[in-house]
Amino acid sequence: MTLMNALPRAAVLGAVMSAVGIFTSAAIAQDAISESHMAAAKNVAEVTKVLEPFDEILPILAEQTRTAFIQAEPTRAEEIIEITQDVALQLAPTRSDLNKLVYQAWATNFTEEELNQLAEFYTTDLGQKLTSALPAVTQLSVGAAREWQDKLSTDMVTMVQQELQKRNKVE
């Protein structure tokens, strides 16, 4: 079994196409944004801690890659583990590319003045509390939405079935 058989080709192609699109868009948009605007965006990204969830991308990807290669060639597990770790360390410096894209996203959506105001807010006690609480609030909100969606789906199916049965009896 080859690695390409182990990894879905569509996922690999999609990731490559997305990366090309993101980097191309960022390169075009970055021309219009000043250094001070980008610095303000970086400051907001840092005080809001929006980059923290991305810290696990490389370790997770390394683990998935290691697993796929080991499944393809289990007799080379030790070698695969060593190589995957080395490659992950080689790729670690590219994290700054992601950071720049995040700064770009902030800078594209907010003026420099707005970013400075946001940074000021997020350094307050309330801003820090929001930063800390937002992941939990988001998770609870998504869970509530899923629960509501499931109940709504069940109710809709039941109500449509009941209405169909009523109409069947009338005809």
Side-chain angles (χ1 to χ4, degrees), residues 40-138:
K42 179 180 179 181
N43 189 26
V44 171
E46 288 173 354
V47 297
T48 59
K49 301 178 183 177
V50 297
L51 296 172
E52 285 182 8
F54 306 136
D55 290 346
E56 294 303 312
I57 291 174
L58 183 57
I60 289 170
L61 186 56
E63 178 62 32
Q64 291 171 342
T65 303
R66 181 174 35 253
T67 299
F69 271 96
I70 290 173
Q71 286 176 350
E73 298 187 64
T75 59
R76 299 180 71 186
E78 270 186 51
E79 183 181 9
I80 290 168
I81 291 168
E82 178 188 334
I83 291 170
T84 305
Q85 184 175 347
D86 290 346
V87 169
L89 291 172
Q90 290 173 29
L91 293 173
T94 66
R95 170 58 190 274
S96 63
D97 296 338
L98 172 60
N99 293 357
K100 288 175 189 170
L101 291 171
V102 172
Y103 306 152
Q104 181 70 39
W106 280 96
T108 301
N109 287 282
F110 294 95
T111 66
E112 185 175 345
E113 182 180 333
E114 290 169 335
L115 289 167
N116 289 329
Q117 291 171 0
L118 283 168
E120 186 177 321
F121 166 73
Y122 278 104
T123 57
T124 67
D125 289 343
L126 181 58
Q128 301 252 322
K129 183 176 182 178
L130 177 61
T131 297
S132 297
L134 199 53
V137 170
T138 301

Side-chain angles (χ1 to χ4, degrees), residues 15-53:
V16 169
M17 291 175 65
S18 294
V20 168
I22 288 169
F23 285 112
T24 303
S25 300
I28 292 168
Q30 193 167 4
D31 293 338
I33 297 176
S34 70
E35 285 185 39
S36 61
H37 194 164
M38 285 298 283
K42 179 180 179 181
N43 189 26
V44 171
E46 288 173 354
V47 297
T48 59
K49 301 178 183 177
V50 297
L51 296 172
E52 285 182 8

